[in-house]
């Protein structure tokens, strides 16, 4: 596991860097390359996956295939990495992985691209080797003739931490943000409550694991610049040999981050959920797939909503780790696109006092409640259920029945 995460060797620069400098387009990868984008999480993965999927027909006309059957082949990546998936979801199977492998092989000698941030969760060198081998590792024999080229996208930890925390809350986490930061940055061995965080976001070790298997010449690292909104799209176009402007952002309200108030509401719901022993399947269906999804789709955050504020000490610790990671990655011999100095910047942020306390809008709460009720109402009741008391009724069925009754009353009103 990770050593002291707060240790760093170089001082982190203050404030935001200046204007972005003009960049030359990276050299395209050889024709026939299978570009494997492994994330990690919160580095622009959803936006690029959506753009690639939307442009798959146009890309095919330029000799580039997007073989996945959906925007994000999450189940395939989870299966090959032996990961269970989100809380309450069905565990992916080998069938999901084989379907993606078959689709990749069907592209023949054409260039293709596969993207999932869950590939970053590959547990060891053996799993990484299997991923690369199954996707069609070599055109010929020997080093330097690899078909699979690994792409890693990076953002500063200061940008990743609040997004990753609220994502963990959407998967059942009950810990508050500052307490979570204390555990991730100050409490060795830095693996509770979320051991996956440093597995994904100790980026130098992530790159190192894949370099051990495929070689530095077959890895490209892209440092994402949040000020250049379309920069990642242009980078993918250049690497794949696509015309400029072919990849465009696709609006996706379901992928937006939660506000602080929304996250705190969900975190408190998580406490109640765990405290009452409800099954994980109910959480997946009614909370994440119902309440949260409907809330995201129906509600647009207001400009004055309280934001998730990272304290200064955590920003400085993250910048120090970023500087250390950037130095180690540079020494590995991989191709680095973008400015590695961005990984060690201490951003200027507002204080919690400036943004005000988190307050949930009644409309937002209503949409969340309706989302849960709508899922409950759409779940068919057991046709042959016998009459039982409330105490004899399983929790998941009780929630379904109560939700259906409430919804009927709302409709009558």
């Amino acid at each position: 596991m990770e050593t002291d995460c707060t240790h760093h060797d170089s001082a982190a620069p203050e404030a935001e860097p200046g204007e972005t400098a003009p960049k030359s387009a990276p050299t395209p990868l050889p024709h026939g390359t299978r570009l494997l984008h492994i994330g990690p999480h919160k580095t622009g993965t959803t936006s690029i996956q959506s753009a690639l999927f939307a442009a798959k027909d146009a890309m095919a006309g330029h000799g580039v295939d997007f073989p996945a059957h959906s925007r994000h082949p999450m189940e395939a990546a989870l299966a090959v990495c032996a990961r269970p998936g989100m809380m309450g979801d069905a565990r992916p199977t080998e069938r999901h992985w084989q379907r993606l492998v078959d689709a990749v092989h069907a592209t023949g000698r054409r260039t293709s691209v596969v993207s999932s941030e869950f590939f970053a969760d590959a547990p060891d060198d053996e799993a990484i080797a299997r991923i690369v081998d199954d996707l069609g590792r070599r055109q010929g024999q020997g080093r330097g003739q690899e078909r699979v080229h690994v792409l890693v996208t990076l953002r500063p930890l200061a940008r990743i931490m609040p997004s990753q925390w609220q994502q963990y809350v959407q998967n059942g986490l009950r810990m508050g943000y500052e307490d979570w930061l204390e555990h991730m940055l100050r409490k060795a061995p830095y693996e509770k409550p979320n051991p996956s965080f440093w597995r994904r976001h100790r980026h130098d070790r992530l790159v190192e694991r894949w370099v051990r298997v495929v070689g530095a010449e077959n890895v490209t690292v892209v440092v994402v610049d949040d000020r250049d909104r379309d920069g990642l799209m242009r980078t993918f176009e250049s690497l794949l040999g696509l015309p400029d402007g072919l990849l465009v952002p696709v609006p996706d309200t379901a992928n937006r981050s939660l506000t602080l108030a929304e996250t705190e509401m969900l975190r408190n719901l998580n406490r109640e959920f765990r405290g009452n022993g409800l099954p994980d399947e109910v959480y997946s269906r009614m909370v994440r797939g119902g309440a949260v999804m409907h809330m995201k789709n129906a509600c647009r955050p207001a400009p004055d909503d309280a934001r998730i504020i990272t304290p200064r000490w955590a920003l400085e610790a993250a910048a120090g780790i970023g500087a250390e990671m950037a130095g180690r990655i540079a020494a590995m011999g991989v191709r680095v696109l973008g400015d590695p100095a961005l990984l060690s910047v201490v951003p200027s942020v507002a204080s919690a006092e400036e943004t005000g306390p988190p307050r949930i809008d009644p409309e937002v709460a209503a949409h969340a409640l309706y989302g849960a009720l709508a899922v409950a109402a759409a779940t068919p009741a057991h046709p042959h259920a016998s009459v039982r008391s409330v105490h004899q009724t399983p929790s998941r069925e009780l929630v379904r029945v109560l939700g259906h009754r409430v919804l009927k009353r709302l409709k009558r009103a």
Side-chain angles (χ1 to χ4, degrees):
M1 192 57 199
E2 286 71 21
T3 56
D4 189 337
C5 293
T6 59
H7 172 75
H8 58 93
D9 299 319
S10 56
E14 293 282 338
E16 299 287 352
E19 294 297 320
T20 55
K23 309 179 193 66
S24 58
T27 305
L29 295 167
H31 180 72
T33 295
R34 289 172 178 169
L35 182 60
L36 177 63
H37 177 213
I38 66 168
H41 295 66
K42 304 303 176 183
T43 60
T45 50
T46 300
S47 62
I48 197 64
Q49 289 158 4
S50 298
L52 290 167
F53 188 65
K56 63 183 301 183
D57 292 339
M59 291 194 307
H62 296 278
V64 179
D65 291 329
F66 186 81
H69 295 85
S70 63
R71 172 190 66 79
H72 178 199
M74 179 176 67
E75 291 86 358
L78 288 170
V80 75
C81 293
R83 293 274 295 153
M86 301 288 279
M87 172 182 166
D89 288 355
R91 192 181 187 99
T93 66
E94 182 70 16
R95 177 178 57 83
H96 293 99
W97 173 241
Q98 193 58 52
R99 184 187 187 198
L100 177 63
V101 169
D102 291 345
V104 170
H105 281 273
T107 66
R109 294 188 173 275
R110 291 164 60 85
T111 299
S112 59
V113 54
V114 172
S115 174
S116 174
E117 55 269 37
F118 285 98
F119 286 121
D121 289 346
D124 50 36
D125 291 6
E126 182 179 355
I128 293 172
R130 188 207 168 177
I131 293 168
V132 177
D133 287 341
D134 283 1
L135 291 178
R137 185 174 200 165
R138 290 187 172 90
Q139 292 174 321
Q141 298 297 319
R143 179 74 77 181
Q145 294 178 304
E146 309 283 356
R147 285 204 73 179
V148 176
H149 190 93
V150 177
L151 179 64
V152 187
T153 44
L154 302 183
R155 293 176 73 222
L157 283 175
R159 304 288 189 191
I160 288 173
M161 291 187 303
S163 294
Q164 188 70 88
W165 170 71
Q166 61 89 29
Q167 191 67 53
Y168 284 133
V169 172
Q170 293 182 57
N171 199 37
L173 180 68
R174 291 162 285 170
M175 186 177 288
Y177 186 44
E178 292 207 25
D179 195 13
W180 182 81
L181 289 171
E182 285 277 350
H183 280 75
M184 291 295 99
L185 294 167
R186 286 178 166 174
K187 295 189 177 181
Y190 318 105
E191 57 186 14
K192 293 181 179 180
N194 300 113
S196 63
F197 181 78
W198 288 116
R199 183 74 185 174
R200 297 166 178 173
H201 297 302
R202 185 70 205 205
H203 299 145
D204 51 346
R205 294 172 189 170
L206 171 64
V207 174
E208 185 178 47
R209 289 195 295 272
W210 286 81
V211 164
R212 278 201 304 266
V213 175
V214 303
E217 68 276 17
N218 296 302
V219 175
T220 294
V221 173
V222 178
V223 180
V224 178
D225 188 342
D226 289 330
R227 300 162 301 172
D228 186 0
R229 301 180 73 88
D230 295 332
L232 189 57
M233 306 285 178
R234 305 293 83 80
T235 298
F236 266 79
E237 287 169 349
S238 297
L239 291 173
L240 294 169
L242 296 171
D244 187 54
L246 184 68
L247 299 179
V248 296
V250 178
D252 184 6
T253 55
N255 185 55
R256 74 166 176 85
S257 294
L258 299 180
T259 67
L260 177 58
E262 291 168 343
T263 309
E264 285 298 311
M265 178 182 72
L266 180 58
R267 189 169 70 85
N268 282 282
L269 174 60
N270 292 346
R271 287 177 173 174
E272 292 296 318
F273 188 92
R274 282 300 189 200
N276 288 281
L278 294 173
D280 290 351
E281 293 81 3
V282 170
Y283 189 92
S284 173
R285 187 172 67 250
M286 294 189 64
V287 178
R288 190 170 54 246
V292 175
M293 186 62 67
H294 189 75
M295 183 174 65
K296 284 183 174 184
N297 282 323
C299 305
R300 183 183 297 275
D304 58 348
D305 280 347
R307 292 173 292 157
I308 301 172
I309 301 296
T310 304
R312 181 76 178 183
W313 69 264
L315 293 175
E316 292 174 348
I321 298 168
E324 184 179 341
M325 294 191 299
R328 292 196 70 227
I329 290 171
M332 293 179 196
V334 300
R335 175 162 64 163
V336 178
L337 305 176
D339 184 5
L342 292 172
L343 301 178
S344 57
V345 169
V346 180
S348 300
V349 294
S351 66
E353 290 75 17
E354 292 177 78
T355 61
R359 299 186 187 280
I360 194 73
D361 188 304
E363 183 180 358
V364 174
H367 279 295
L369 178 60
Y370 175 79
L373 292 175
V375 170
T379 305
H382 196 290
H384 305 294
S386 59
V387 178
R388 290 165 291 181
S389 71
V390 169
H391 296 291
Q392 293 174 317
T393 305
S395 297
R396 74 175 77 181
E397 186 176 337
L398 184 61
V399 170
R400 181 173 66 239
V401 172
L402 290 175
H404 183 63
R405 290 176 181 174
V406 170
L407 192 62
K408 285 177 67 177
R409 290 174 185 171
L410 288 173
K411 287 180 176 178
R412 286 200 300 267

